Amino acid sequence: MTTVAVMVLFLAGSGTASAVVPTAPERPAATAVTGPPSVVPSVRAFKAASGPGWRPARGSRVVIDGKSPGLADEGELLARELGLAYGKTAAPGRGDIRLALSGSASGPAESYGITVSGGRVDVTGRDEAGVFYGTRTVKQAVRTTGALAEGTVTDGPAKPQRGLNLDIARKYFTPGWIEARLREMADLKLNQLVLHISDDQGFGIEIKNPKYAKSVSTARLSQAQLAGIVKLAESLHITVVPEIDSPGHLGAVLKSFPDLRLKDVNGQIVQGAIDISQAGAGPVIDELNKEFLPLFPGGAWHLGGDEYQALTRRNPEASFPNLAAAARRLYGPSGTVKDLATRWLDDRARALAPSKKRLKAWNDGFYTGGIAKADAAIEAEYWTGKEIGARLPEGYLAEGRKVVNLNDAYLYYVLGQPNDFTYPTGQAIYEEWTPAVLRGSRPVPDAARYQDSILGARLAVWCDRAGAQTEAQVASGIRMPLAALSQKVWNAGQPTRSWSGFQELVGRANPGGGLPQAGAPPLDGGASAYRSPF
């Protein structure tokens, strides 16, 4: 990113942008700051104290506690971002920022505190991620107001899963673009990037196994490029999760295995669907997963499971007698194609069991009324209630299944807006949506009962019409929805700012960007000379 800030705010309900300001942002004036930090997402609690607060000045440093050597990366990054010296484990002094682990297991994972007192800042966290998020608050506060007020911040996430879903199967996104989104996500305290790798139109990452030579898209990420993305994500406390979708959305993979394509009773090939009755079908996916496991060291894996076209037919057993016969062999005369699809999902889960990954699947990959039951530990990623035999989200919650919110009415950014989709607006997410609004526009009944079972949410970019927008247009289009999402999954309370006030704050906070350039008015009225590293 250049040091010239170009801010594009999409207006609610429109596809047009507000005026572009092609100049360096002004540094905040060196006046006293009061109240909680002006950051996105807002902090959950602030207790004011009497004192001048803190602002960076010449000689200010970032130091880490000597008992917390693992915070070196966080310390070095914040020092670069603020243009300060990194003092390693030196004793903190006036004007410094000190990072430390709290040594306490109290509070949720990723939580942190900031104390501004005696002319210095202390950032403490339960874990390294918490300290990192504390540094994001410091960075944004300097960006928006130039300072932190005297007092104490107590902060932590309302939801453990917060992020972005990106379809790299149907559209090529450059490594630099993905890395820019990771930096934006990190500043917004988002912690999960799910890559949709396989679909009918393409496969978005290099496969080295020669058996899949016909499957990989010409424009795709190399495994070396992916490694760089994953490394950056890890440094920003973001987990990169792969989704190799099956048993549907496999058109590209099946180019290398045409004999495994599903055919109906009339011999017609069903687009993207693998014939799960064939013994060779499962190993095609398991071998892919085996190759990709070392590339994705994070703790989660997405199995897909959605839109298996055999189950969109009115009578799947009549339309696909081979699938029906396989189901009866496994489950007796009452076995159905739904049972066979559930068996497929569980078989893929069992193959991944040694990896200890937390497993996910789309909600329409879980079926009711059959004999087979999906592994209870697989998280349901709820996106739609429009599929045949659709289940309300409370059905998943009532049976004890953990759910992640990808409500397609608010959180689906579908390129080209096909099938009655419209681009989501940050305003609708900010003013109407909560993690409990899993389907449509209303929260699930008795939402408080299920708060711990609703694990979080992601904004999803789908590339149904890949050429409809450029990378830059996608980045601009998702900027405010992503910021609004971050507010609602981090802080469970009703936002206190108006939508226009939130837009203005996002513009000043500039998630993913740097500080105002050297040459603009100094932050402390004359002593400082900071330079953006971006």
Side-chain angles (χ1 to χ4, degrees):
M1 188 173 212
T2 65
T3 55
V4 176
V6 180
M7 299 180 186
V8 183
L9 302 183
F10 272 69
L11 304 178
S14 78
T16 60
S18 63
V20 176
V21 184
T23 58
E26 294 183 0
R27 288 182 184 274
T31 56
V33 173
T34 61
S38 295
V39 296
V40 182
S42 60
V43 301
R44 301 182 73 177
F46 173 74
K47 184 177 181 179
S50 178
W54 173 92
R55 64 177 60 250
R58 187 180 299 278
S60 294
R61 303 171 301 171
V62 178
V63 301
I64 65 171
D65 182 70
K67 297 178 181 178
S68 308
L71 297 177
D73 289 346
E74 286 74 18
E76 290 175 3
L77 175 62
L78 183 62
R80 288 199 306 272
E81 291 173 324
L82 298 185
L84 304 179
Y86 174 54
K88 299 183 180 180
T89 57
R94 190 173 185 84
D96 289 347
I97 303 170
R98 174 180 174 269
L99 311 182
L101 294 174
S102 65
S104 171
S106 61
E110 304 177 301
S111 60
Y112 70 93
I114 298 176
T115 300
V116 180
S117 179
R120 89 175 200 213
V121 179
D122 284 278
V123 180
T124 59
R126 173 184 165 179
D127 48 32
E128 291 181 10
V131 174
F132 176 73
Y133 293 135
T135 69
R136 300 305 85 197
T137 294
V138 173
K139 175 189 174 184
Q140 279 200 37
V142 173
R143 185 68 172 81
T144 58
T145 62
L148 286 163
E150 199 88 2
T152 303
V153 170
T154 304
D155 201 14
K159 295 297 180 184
Q161 295 188 35
R162 312 173 303 277
L164 176 67
N165 214 87
L166 184 64
D167 178 0
I168 63 170
R170 292 179 285 187
K171 183 177 179 68
Y172 174 70
F173 292 93
T174 61
W177 188 93
I178 297 173
E179 290 169 357
R181 301 289 72 71
L182 288 171
R183 294 186 177 95
E184 180 180 4
M185 291 169 62
D187 280 1
L188 293 170
K189 301 182 174 75
L190 301 175
N191 65 359
Q192 191 175 83
L193 173 66
V194 177
L195 297 179
H196 177 72
I197 300 169
S198 64
D199 216 304
D200 295 342
Q201 295 84 353
F203 194 97
I205 298 175
E206 171 192 12
I207 306 173
K208 293 190 174 180
N209 187 330
K211 291 196 297 186
Y212 300 82
K214 297 179 181 179
S215 299
V216 182
S217 301
T218 301
R220 80 291 185 271
L221 295 173
S222 70
Q223 291 192 7
Q225 290 170 327
L226 175 66
I229 290 166
V230 170
K231 182 178 180 180
L232 175 63
E234 289 178 329
S235 75
L236 300 173
H237 297 274
I238 295 171
T239 299
V240 182
V241 181
E243 183 205 355
I244 300 176
D245 206 346
S246 76
H249 294 282
L250 283 172
V253 170
L254 291 172
K255 288 179 181 178
S256 298
F257 305 93
D259 292 343
L260 294 177
R261 293 179 295 184
L262 179 65
K263 297 178 182 178
D264 66 15
V265 67
N266 298 314
Q268 296 298 309
I269 294 171
V270 179
Q271 177 64 32
I274 195 168
D275 184 347
I276 58 177
S277 70
Q278 292 197 45
V284 166
I285 304 305
D286 295 340
E287 285 188 36
L288 264 182
N289 287 342
K290 185 177 180 180
E291 178 172 338
F292 277 71
L293 270 169
L295 305 179
F296 292 94
W301 198 275
H302 204 306
L303 300 169
D306 63 312
E307 297 182 318
Y308 187 48
Q309 293 301 302
L311 290 169
T312 65
R313 302 292 179 93
R314 186 176 299 276
N315 187 336
E317 286 70 37
S319 296
F320 301 96
N322 56 326
L323 300 183
R328 289 192 295 270
R329 286 196 299 272
L330 288 168
Y331 296 102
S334 298
T336 65
V337 176
K338 285 184 179 180
D339 293 315
L340 196 64
T342 299
R343 173 67 172 259
W344 171 274
L345 187 71
D346 279 352
D347 283 349
R348 307 290 74 73
R350 278 189 287 271
L352 286 165
S355 71
K356 308 295 185 184
K357 303 283 190 186
R358 186 177 66 254
L359 301 178
K360 300 169 167 290
W362 297 110
N363 70 284
D364 52 327
F366 299 89
Y367 308 103
T368 59
I371 298 169
K373 305 295 181 186
D375 185 336
I378 302 173
E379 298 168 5
E381 306 249 309
Y382 199 98
W383 71 281
T384 183
K386 301 172 185 175
E387 75 278 8
I388 294 175
R391 254 201 302 172
L392 296 172
E394 50 265 37
Y396 301 84
L397 294 165
E399 68 186 19
R401 193 172 296 280
K402 303 294 186 182
V403 175
V404 179
N405 191 327
L406 287 98
N407 184 337
D408 63 353
Y410 288 93
L411 304 178
Y412 262 36
Y413 192 95
V414 185
L415 298 196
Q417 304 183 108
N419 303 320
D420 298 323
F421 282 108
T422 57
Y423 292 127
T425 69
Q427 184 172 9
I429 296 169
Y430 189 75
E431 295 180 343
E432 303 170 12
W433 176 88
T434 72
V437 180
L438 284 157
R439 174 180 177 176
S441 58
R442 295 182 180 180
V444 293
D446 199 13
R449 174 186 172 192
Y450 297 122
Q451 283 308 307
D452 290 343
S453 295
I454 301 172
L455 300 178
R458 295 194 307 279
L459 182 73
V461 176
W462 297 109
C463 302
D464 293 44
R465 297 177 181 169
Q469 289 194 339
T470 64
E471 281 188 340
Q473 288 172 323
V474 175
S476 295
I478 67 174
R479 184 170 185 262
M480 289 308 301
L482 201 61
L485 174 78
S486 78
Q487 174 64 38
K488 303 302 280 287
V489 291
W490 183 269
N491 193 326
Q494 185 67 22
T496 57
R497 292 178 185 270
S498 67
W499 170 244
S500 61
F502 183 75
Q503 285 181 298
E504 188 272 337
L505 176 60
V506 173
R508 286 190 288 129
N510 192 22
L515 294 174
Q517 300 180 77
L523 288 169
D524 62 2
S528 302
Y530 296 99
R531 298 180 185 277
S532 168
F534 293 88

